[in-house]
Amino acid sequence: MTINRISRVVLTPVAFADPPLLNVVGVHQPWALRAILELHTDSGLVGLGETYADETHLARLEAVADVLPGHDPYDTHGLYRLVADVLGKETGGAGASFGGMLDVDSAVDTVYSPFEVACLDLVAREADRPVSDLLGGAVRDRVPFSGYLFYKWAGHPGSTDNGPDEWGEALNPDQIVAQAKRMVDGWGFGSLKLKGGVFPPEEECAAIEALRTAFPGLPLRLDPNGAWTPETSIRVAERLAGVVEYLEDPTPGIDAMARVAASTDVPLATNMCVIAFEHLAPAVAADAVQIVLSDHHLWGGLRRSALLAGITETFGMGLSMHSNSHLGVSLAAMVHLAAATPNLTYACDTHYPWKTCSGMAQDVVRPGVLDFTDGSVAVPTGPGLGVELDRDLLGELHERYLSCGVRRREDTVYMRSVVPDFTPNTARW
Ligand code: GKR
Ligand code: MG
């Protein structure tokens, strides 16, 4: 049998409009960045990946892209070694800023991830099977997502018309409930997550309680990204016991999370204190978290995320899925992974509904495959990831990248351009 080798690598940074979503470190910039990876083979197949596009990360992706031609897409272990070799001593930090929220020690997993996804896309396309089959097969044919609610300004302060965007302002419980109604009515979400860490915890608890009244049957989550001290977290857990299905990263760090966990029965989830394999042993030993949020962009691709799922199952932990602002190639990969992960029983996060601004092109994949019905996305059954690039859309979003001037995610810098004395709210309350 002839093995298709990678013959050409194309990396395209793109930008899409993003509303002013507030979080613990500041506010989303008007443009969110992503990089779209294409691996072409001798035989004309194209495998796709999607990742962050902060400039340091892009430079690292380019360095791997330069040496990849000739590589066998089946050889993902070899690919991992190759990425580690190329990065060499340059592995400090993720290379993506995560708005300033996360401290990642090594770039190997984040750089490897889109290449691995694109290799699996290639292998699955060649086999004429969906990527989920390479991960053990889909155990569900739809993947449920939760509606991701954000406090937000009415519009971006510097926007040309300076007026509200189509979502409008959400700075109090009533406005959060209105936002949730739009999410539930438009997408059919069957659970809701509120991004907190923006206002004092009493206000955010009031928003959760308002959501509980408005949506009596829906599981709710609150994620302040470590904005609270352990004492405050314990107080919030007492108030929201029986109201939230979990509290996500109430306080920063494994030790502080363990203190909170020891004082409450409310499950604690994280995508901040357990973000790499080396964090699992100390977190388990301290019984710091009951649910880990996986994220294939951060954990080194789909198969390493499946490995994470096995570890959480072994230790009796729950598994959920984290998201950052993303496009359809990432959504397809998330759906295949979630479909093929039996113990991923929580609805996954997604920022996808926020890509609705101003009638502009907002994705790079051809429409029709990844539609939300009843808050869930059908697992694509076509070969590979099941999504195809629309070259016109890709070109348009790349042009926007070139003209928008944003080169890295900087929530705090952007916030300070509006509120000069802003400091991140980490462990503030
Ligand atoms: O998009 O502002 C945001 C979120 O706060 C994101 O950066 C987080 O990584 O969604 C994330 C989370 O669950 O912590
Ligand atoms: Mg989180």
Side-chain angles (χ1 to χ4, degrees):
M1 178 181 115
T2 28
I3 295 175
N4 281 311
R5 298 276 166 174
I6 293 163
S7 54
R8 198 160 60 90
V9 183
V10 183
L11 195 59
T12 311
V14 295
F16 58 96
D18 201 16
L21 307 179
L22 298 162
N23 62 33
V24 75
V25 290
V27 58
H28 283 207
Q29 294 146 287
W31 302 101
L33 308 182
R34 297 295 272 181
I36 303 299
L37 176 72
E38 295 170 53
L39 299 183
H40 294 253
T41 66
D42 321 328
S43 59
L45 290 175
V46 185
L48 301 176
E50 178 187 328
T51 179
Y52 324 105
D54 295 47
E55 55 197 343
T56 311
H57 185 58
L58 273 183
R60 291 169 175 174
L61 295 168
E62 292 285 7
V64 173
D66 284 349
V67 299
L68 208 56
H71 194 84
D72 173 2
Y74 282 76
D75 181 17
T76 50
H77 287 312
L79 173 64
Y80 197 80
R81 286 196 303 276
L82 187 142
V83 170
D85 285 352
V86 168
L87 296 181
K89 293 196 185 353
E90 244 245 89
T91 55
S97 72
F98 306 106
M101 251 177 244
L102 296 186
D103 253 346
V104 177
D105 286 341
S106 161
V108 175
D109 283 326
T110 49
V111 172
Y112 169 74
S113 173
F115 291 101
E116 187 247 20
V117 173
C119 281
L120 295 185
D121 190 21
L122 278 178
V123 168
R125 278 174 200 268
E126 190 181 51
D128 200 19
R129 306 292 293 243
V131 160
S132 55
D133 279 0
L134 300 182
L135 304 173
V139 296
R140 47 187 76 88
D141 51 19
R142 304 194 67 86
V143 170
F145 286 86
S146 75
Y148 202 155
L149 311 176
F150 276 83
Y151 290 107
K152 69 178 288 295
W153 292 333
H156 280 288
S159 63
T160 27
D161 54 5
N162 220 3
D165 59 35
E166 60 196 77
W167 287 93
E169 182 181 88
L171 298 174
N172 60 46
D174 287 347
Q175 291 172 326
I176 287 293
V177 168
Q179 189 187 94
K181 288 205 163 113
R182 179 170 169 177
M183 287 264 178
V184 170
D185 291 348
W187 283 269
F189 291 116
S191 63
L192 295 167
K193 161 167 166 171
L194 174 62
K195 173 57 53 180
V198 176
F199 294 113
E202 296 69 32
E203 290 180 42
E204 298 188 351
C205 286
I208 289 289
E209 286 158 354
L211 288 168
R212 169 50 65 240
T213 306
F215 303 94
L218 262 52
L220 302 173
R221 310 162 184 176
L222 174 58
D223 175 13
N225 285 116
W228 310 331
T229 63
E231 292 70 27
T232 302
S233 306
I234 292 165
R235 232 179 340 105
V236 171
E238 273 163 18
R239 176 163 169 181
L240 295 183
V243 180
V244 285
E245 66 173 335
Y246 56 70
L247 273 181
E248 194 173 311
D249 290 305
T251 194
I254 289 175
D255 293 345
M257 287 283 277
R259 276 183 58 198
V260 180
S263 309
T264 178
D265 290 334
V266 175
L268 302 188
T270 188
N271 64 277
M272 294 183 79
C273 69
V274 179
I275 53 172
F277 287 93
E278 66 261 30
H279 303 144
L280 282 159
V284 168
D287 197 14
V289 294
Q290 288 68 53
I291 295 139
V292 176
L293 275 76
S294 69
D295 181 335
H296 73 270
H297 308 88
L298 191 64
W299 284 83
L302 301 177
R303 285 189 174 141
R304 286 172 74 74
S305 299
L307 176 62
L308 168 66
I311 295 171
T312 57
E313 186 173 41
T314 303
F315 289 102
M317 299 158 107
L319 185 70
S320 190
M321 191 185 280
H322 169 256
S323 123
N324 276 310
S325 305
H326 65 91
L327 296 170
V329 177
S330 279
L331 181 61
M334 291 157 75
V335 168
H336 282 281
L337 174 62
T341 307
N343 59 321
L344 209 174
T345 50
Y346 289 101
C348 302
D349 288 353
T350 180
H351 285 57
Y352 208 69
W354 289 107
K355 294 185 309 76
T356 46
C357 302
S358 29
M360 290 186 236
Q362 285 286 60
D363 208 334
V364 294
V365 297
R366 289 189 204 143
V369 178
L370 299 168
D371 296 328
F372 284 83
T373 307
D374 294 334
S376 65
V377 175
V379 185
T381 49
L385 290 172
V387 289
E388 307 294 335
L389 287 180
D390 178 316
R391 298 273 158 201
D392 292 338
L393 295 178
L394 182 67
E396 202 174 321
L397 268 65
H398 178 58
E399 284 304 316
R400 221 176 284 147
Y401 170 82
L402 294 176
S403 61
C404 77
V406 176
R407 289 298 175 264
R408 62 196 316 256
R409 182 177 167 189
E410 292 183 306
D411 299 32
T412 307
V413 174
Y414 182 46
M415 175 61 108
R416 283 186 181 144
S417 71
V418 183
V419 183
D421 61 352
F422 175 82
T423 51
N425 293 327
T426 308
R428 172 171 166 195
W429 289 290

